[in-house]
Amino acid sequence: RKCDTSTLENTAKSSLPINNTRRNSELFHTMTVVTSSNLRPHKGRRRVSKSSRSGALPVVVVATALATFCLAAVVLHHAASTVGSSGPGGGRGRADDIDLLMQNKMGDTGIRGGKGNFGSILKKTRSFAKKSQEYVSKKVVTRPFKVAKKLVKEVEHSLAGSLPRTDEMEGVGDKSSSYRLLRKELDERFPDEPWDASWSPEAEADTDAHRRRLELMKELRKRDYEPVDFDNDSDCPPTPSPDYPKAFRMEKIIENWNPDDTKPRKKIYQGICRFDYVKDYEKIMAYRDAEKPFVVRDDPRVLRTVERWNDPTYLHRLLKEKRHRTEYSLNNHFMYWNMGAARRRPGKHGNGLPKDWKPPTEMIEMTYPQWFKKANVTDDKLGPDNPHWYFRLI
């Protein structure tokens, strides 16, 4: 019979989808059976002789070969259509299995053609795989290390706040974890050699940390005052004299430097000795045992505090927004007063206070940042007739 290519193509379209080897073989088998059956003679036709049948055998072979050729052409035509369908607007392709798996997510557009063709599906699949790889890299691989690092940091932070410092005194000072962490940070910023109680004053001073702090003291000490009628060497012998400390009349002290005049003076009245921690250590011990007053300069352990307190952020972080007792005055005079006993005494006005008496200063509360803002101004705003605030920590 005549091999009708369109008939074979319509038969292929009505058969199983051509998307894998198994389906192609089934379609090929089905089409071969149909073609072979069409080539067989009908029962009602005349039977031919043996010689005629033997002569017709080549015709059958040729017809079968022709049908096979036509079928191969149809298969190649569909294969070409499948490859071409990967472009925009193409038809059904070799992604049918992917379409079947992703029908619930993307619909059956891969079979119908259009935007959901094999190319777009492959693009979405690659995008999904890339996002999955990024997710695994970030969440599954990277995240555990970040979590572990954060956990280790939190543990170290907690331990640093719970462990006491080496210079802590039992029953004295702040033992909170926040203060210990702050001190740990400042101690790392201003390193110090491990202190040993057996050290001599010379050994304490012979360190890089102490030399660094002495340089800071040179910057902080703007001027050096000269004592009036007092010599720090002759008036400060190894053991204190009976008339020590030396006294002066109050009138002379005020005449030399009036409290309302803030301009520095070159000479001042000073009646107590000033000792260097390293050079005058023996004198310090002698005057201490004699219970006499004196001034000590450059004590290594005191300079540690001076260095820390001169850090611009330390006191702000230490005191934070906690309110402390502050004494407020309308001028630079902070007169001492205490009306506790007078209030308890009976009087004409119900207590022992004088009529119309008012305290010379006012007790208020302020945070350190509030006080610092008022104190950190130029001298013209801190004149004797301007308001003053006396910030107290105890």
Side-chain angles (χ1 to χ4, degrees), residues 31-163:
M31 297 179 69
T32 304
V33 172
V34 173
T35 304
S36 300
S37 63
N38 290 336
L39 292 177
R40 292 174 184 172
H42 293 287
K43 292 182 179 180
R45 293 186 179 184
R46 177 177 56 85
R47 295 180 65 84
V48 295
S49 62
K50 188 173 183 180
S51 58
S52 299
R53 282 182 289 176
S54 61
L57 182 60
V59 177
V60 175
V61 173
V62 172
T64 302
L66 182 61
T68 304
F69 175 79
C70 292
L71 179 61
V74 172
V75 172
L76 293 174
H77 172 71
H78 277 275
S81 300
T82 301
V83 174
S85 66
S86 62
R92 186 184 65 196
R94 300 178 66 182
D96 291 346
D97 288 339
I98 299 177
D99 282 335
L100 294 175
L101 293 173
M102 302 180 69
Q103 279 180 3
N104 294 335
K105 296 288 185 182
M106 304 170 59
D108 197 16
T109 56
I111 297 178
R112 298 189 182 95
K115 295 182 180 180
N117 53 43
F118 177 70
S120 62
I121 293 174
L122 181 60
K123 185 177 180 181
K124 293 179 180 179
T125 305
R126 288 175 177 173
S127 177
F128 175 77
K130 184 178 180 181
K131 291 181 179 179
S132 301
Q133 184 179 6
E134 293 176 354
Y135 178 85
V136 170
S137 177
K138 292 181 179 179
K139 302 296 183 180
V140 180
V141 179
T142 309
R143 184 173 177 80
F145 288 99
K146 291 183 177 180
V147 173
K149 186 177 180 181
K150 183 178 179 181
L151 182 60
V152 170
K153 188 175 181 180
E154 290 178 353
V155 171
E156 291 178 348
H157 191 273
S158 177
L159 290 176
S162 60
L163 297 176

Side-chain angles (χ1 to χ4, degrees), residues 237-384:
T239 57
S241 60
D243 58 347
Y244 179 84
K246 194 171 183 179
F248 303 94
R249 295 179 62 88
M250 182 64 68
E251 182 181 2
K252 290 185 177 181
I253 296 176
I254 296 178
E255 286 178 357
N256 181 67
W257 196 351
N258 192 292
D260 291 335
D261 186 2
T262 58
K263 184 180 179 180
R265 299 293 193 270
K266 185 177 181 180
K267 293 184 177 183
I268 62 173
Y269 281 92
Q270 176 181 319
I272 58 178
C273 299
R274 187 182 66 187
F275 297 136
D276 183 270
Y277 179 80
V278 177
K279 298 178 182 178
D280 303 318
Y281 187 77
E282 298 298 330
K283 289 184 179 182
I284 292 173
M285 296 294 104
Y287 279 66
R288 187 193 66 173
D289 295 340
E291 298 182 356
K292 297 295 184 178
F294 55 90
V295 175
V296 179
R297 272 195 170 185
D298 301 335
D299 184 331
R301 278 163 282 178
V302 175
L303 293 189
R304 288 184 59 194
T305 304
V306 174
E307 183 180 46
R308 189 167 59 249
W309 279 51
N310 274 275
D311 181 90
T313 65
Y314 177 67
L315 289 179
H316 287 270
R317 298 173 61 186
L318 176 64
L319 303 176
K320 300 179 181 178
E321 296 296 329
K322 186 178 179 181
R323 303 178 69 86
H324 291 268
R325 185 164 61 111
T326 306
E327 194 168 353
Y328 170 72
S329 176
L330 294 174
N331 48 48
N332 65 326
H333 295 280
F334 286 87
M335 306 300 294
Y336 175 80
W337 59 273
N338 188 340
M339 63 180 184
R343 178 175 294 176
R344 291 192 295 268
R345 290 197 303 265
K348 295 181 180 180
H349 307 287
N351 52 47
L353 298 176
K355 184 180 179 180
D356 299 331
W357 180 85
K358 293 182 180 180
T361 58
E362 181 182 355
M363 294 299 177
I364 62 175
E365 288 186 346
M366 295 180 67
T367 64
Y368 178 76
Q370 291 174 338
W371 176 85
F372 184 81
K373 184 177 180 181
K374 295 181 179 299
N376 191 28
V377 295
T378 56
D379 292 340
D380 60 312
K381 296 182 180 180
L382 289 177

